[in-house]
Amino acid sequence: MGKTEFEVINKYFSFPANGNDVELSVGDDCAVVSLSGIHHQKLLITTDTLVSGVHFPVETSPRDIAYKSLMVNLSDLAAMGATPKWVTLSITLPEIDEAWLSAFSEEFNSVLAEHKVSLIGGDTTRGALSITIQAMGSCENRVMRRNQARPGNLIYVTGKLGDAAIGLTAILKHIDDKKLQPCIDRLNRPVTRVQFARALSEYSSCAIDISDGLLADLQHVLTASKVGAVIRLPEIPLSDAAHFYFKHYLNDQLDWPLILAGGDDFELCFTISDTHQEAVHSLAESHDVALSCIGRITQDEELVILDESGQSLQFEHTGYQHF
Ligand code: ADP
Ligand code: MG
């Protein structure tokens, strides 16, 4: 006989808490958490929905879906310097597929344990596959905000950009090439900079996670801060796999719109003043995070993109938009 909704919740979504701050978890009308350990801190709350066919290709494995849906939420907390603590999971499933559920549940639990985050509640409904996670975290230091970039600040990004967009292209174009696997991995398994970001907030007051593409997300910072920026394309960090893709599949042409507006990087973009440059570099080193300085914040409310020869470029589409 098929399982009821409550059997599904019990079997697949009732995990032990990963901290002693959960007083009541899955099973009642609400979850209850204790704020005693963080009573002088700030509570940060975010939510993100992932819809099959929109946020991940329909053939994505349940493990990758579990991983990514959690990571995109932890990435939002990281971008503001918070430590993730609790999540809720609202999941819509087309059917009760136990093999799918058990793979999803196992991966979800293992990512939660790794980041010491507790699943404390949610909702389970029937319909087209969609996953909504609400993530809550605490912040004892300064919260990094989009509206804090100042003229003269240096603009940095972590890691490499464009890999996830190349991975998605490889999947959609059915390019079967082992050398592009790192890009597909970055699409399905984004690496979020939670620990680094938390420490970064000592030096930076402005950060954003790159989810829609660098240009779109940097533009959010510029608009919120009422400033502009000059960025230099030769400074944009690309992976070996990305170079391989452009060399072998695009006649050695870099596809800048793909790199800068493809999205799903989940790297951090942040600003600092020159005085903190050295400290931030050694911080990144100690967290094993690659850093690239890609430009500077300016007074003019305009985003200027310079190519190798110093010419300014225009892009038609700056990022992924749902509507
Ligand atoms: P209610 O009808 O009161 O909203 P539900 O029947 O939706 O309660 O859920 C029962 C309990 O199971 C609640 O504690 C809820 O938070 C939890 N829950 C439901 N779905 C999930 C899920 N996918 N993951 C985690 N907890 C869930
Ligand atoms: Mg409910």
Side-chain angles (χ1 to χ4, degrees), residues 5-6 9 13 25-29 89 91 119-124:
E5 173 192 335
F6 301 104
I9 296 167
F13 301 121
S25 189
V26 172
D28 214 313
D29 293 317
L89 166 66
I91 188 164
L119 174 64
I120 57 170
D123 203 16
T124 305

Side-chain angles (χ1 to χ4, degrees), residues 18-236:
N18 292 310
N20 54 11
D21 48 16
V22 180
E23 292 191 3
L24 193 55
S25 189
V26 172
D28 214 313
D29 293 317
C30 293
V32 180
V33 296
S34 164
L35 303 180
S36 61
I38 58 164
H39 68 274
H40 56 285
Q41 299 186 26
K42 292 171 198 100
L43 180 63
L44 283 78
I45 302 165
T46 182
T47 186
D48 261 316
T49 296
L50 275 76
V51 177
S52 178
V54 179
H55 298 92
F56 52 84
V58 284
E59 64 268 30
T60 308
S61 76
R63 281 181 187 280
D64 287 343
I65 296 171
Y67 180 95
K68 185 165 180 176
S69 58
L70 257 176
M71 279 311 190
V72 302
N73 279 280
L74 299 191
S75 174
D76 279 324
L77 288 177
M80 296 188 76
T83 304
K85 294 210 159 289
W86 311 289
V87 296
T88 61
L89 166 66
S90 296
I91 188 164
T92 305
L93 299 163
E95 63 191 326
I96 295 178
D97 173 343
E98 295 226 42
W100 192 98
L101 275 164
S102 111
F104 179 92
S105 162
E106 215 179 276
E107 182 70 21
F108 205 86
N109 192 16
S110 105
V111 178
L112 288 173
E114 187 189 326
H115 290 269
K116 299 194 181 66
V117 176
S118 303
L119 174 64
I120 57 170
D123 203 16
T124 305
T125 53
R126 183 172 192 164
L129 179 61
S130 149
I131 288 140
T132 298
I133 290 175
Q134 182 178 49
M136 290 149 275
S138 63
C139 185
E140 55 186 332
N141 306 319
R142 167 167 53 183
V143 170
M144 293 184 287
R145 295 189 49 183
R146 298 179 180 189
N147 67 354
Q148 296 299 310
R150 297 290 175 259
N153 283 172
L154 296 164
I155 306 168
Y156 276 84
V157 294
T158 57
K160 314 279 181 194
L161 301 186
D163 281 4
I166 292 170
L168 180 61
T169 306
I171 292 174
L172 297 179
K173 289 192 175 164
H174 303 287
I175 302 174
D176 188 13
D177 188 329
K178 270 205 177 66
K179 292 211 164 131
L180 296 180
Q181 190 58 42
C183 297
I184 293 172
D185 292 344
R186 287 309 305 265
L187 176 71
N188 291 330
R189 307 225 139 209
V191 182
T192 60
R193 311 294 182 180
V194 181
Q195 275 82 24
F196 170 70
R198 206 168 66 196
L200 175 68
S201 67
E202 190 180 331
Y203 307 104
S204 171
S205 48
C206 177
I208 191 167
D209 70 322
I210 307 175
S211 53
D212 296 332
L214 174 69
L215 295 187
D217 290 312
L218 178 57
Q219 189 58 59
H220 292 320
V221 167
L222 304 183
T223 306
S225 300
K226 299 195 177 66
V227 292
V230 177
I231 63 169
R232 297 176 305 273
L233 291 185
E235 310 300 335
I236 302 290

Side-chain angles (χ1 to χ4, degrees), residues 244-286:
F244 172 85
Y245 171 76
F246 295 124
K247 185 154 192 236
H248 291 272
Y249 293 93
L250 273 187
N251 291 320
D252 230 351
Q253 287 290 302
L254 298 184
D255 182 347
W256 285 113
L258 184 75
I259 299 163
L260 300 178
D264 265 1
D265 298 296
F266 295 104
E267 294 291 351
L268 287 178
C269 175
F270 62 91
T271 67
I272 53 168
S273 65
D274 287 72
T275 47
H276 291 134
Q277 210 174 358
E278 216 171 294
V280 167
H281 275 274
S282 54
L283 190 70
E285 211 165 292
S286 69

